[in-house]
């Protein structure tokens, strides 16, 4: 069976606990971005998502009830380049 390739932003949340330290890790996956023949603005949905997360946090922090604010801002971006094609080696 063929697996279809997604080109939408998917969000996965993982709760990690190690030696009493609790961490909530959110992975935002953007598979397929930049794979099209014309990818001049393929980065736009990703940049819009990052901006939306920052704006939501800013609105929550500027409000009156700031006790239960969830920080969903993007703190790190990792971009993987395929080693096949474009003259890259493995």
């Amino acid at each position: 069976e063929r697996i279809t390739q997604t080109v939408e932003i998917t969000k996965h949340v993982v709760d990690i606990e190690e030696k009493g330290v609790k961490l909530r890790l959110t992975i935002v996956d953007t598979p397929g971005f930049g794979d099209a023949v014309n990818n001049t603005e393929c980065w736009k949905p990703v940049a819009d998502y990052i901006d939306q997360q920052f704006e939501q946090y800013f609105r929550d922090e500027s409000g009156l009830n700031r006790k239960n604010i969830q920080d969903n801002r993007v703190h790190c971006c990792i971009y993987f380049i395929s080693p096949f094609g474009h003259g890259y080696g493995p």
Side-chain angles (χ1 to χ4, degrees), residues 25-40:
L25 179 65
T26 304
I27 308 288
V28 180
D29 193 10
T30 58
F33 283 99
D35 289 347
V37 174
N38 182 8
N39 58 6
T40 54

Side-chain angles (χ1 to χ4, degrees), residues 2-66:
R2 221 173 192 189
I3 299 172
T4 59
Q5 185 176 14
T6 60
V7 289
E8 59 189 29
I9 295 174
T10 54
K11 182 174 161 181
H12 308 279
V13 179
V14 180
D15 291 321
I16 302 171
E17 184 174 351
E18 185 175 331
K19 296 181 182 177
V21 177
K22 293 180 182 180
L23 176 71
R24 174 168 281 173
L25 179 65
T26 304
I27 308 288
V28 180
D29 193 10
T30 58
F33 283 99
D35 289 347
V37 174
N38 182 8
N39 58 6
T40 54
E41 293 200 11
C42 67
W43 53 270
K44 198 133 177 67
V46 177
D48 290 343
Y49 178 82
I50 292 170
D51 288 342
Q52 287 171 0
Q53 298 307 307
F54 179 77
E55 288 170 6
Q56 180 63 43
Y57 183 79
F58 184 72
R59 276 194 303 273
D60 290 345
E61 196 168 73
S62 299
L64 296 175
N65 188 7
R66 293 180 281 209

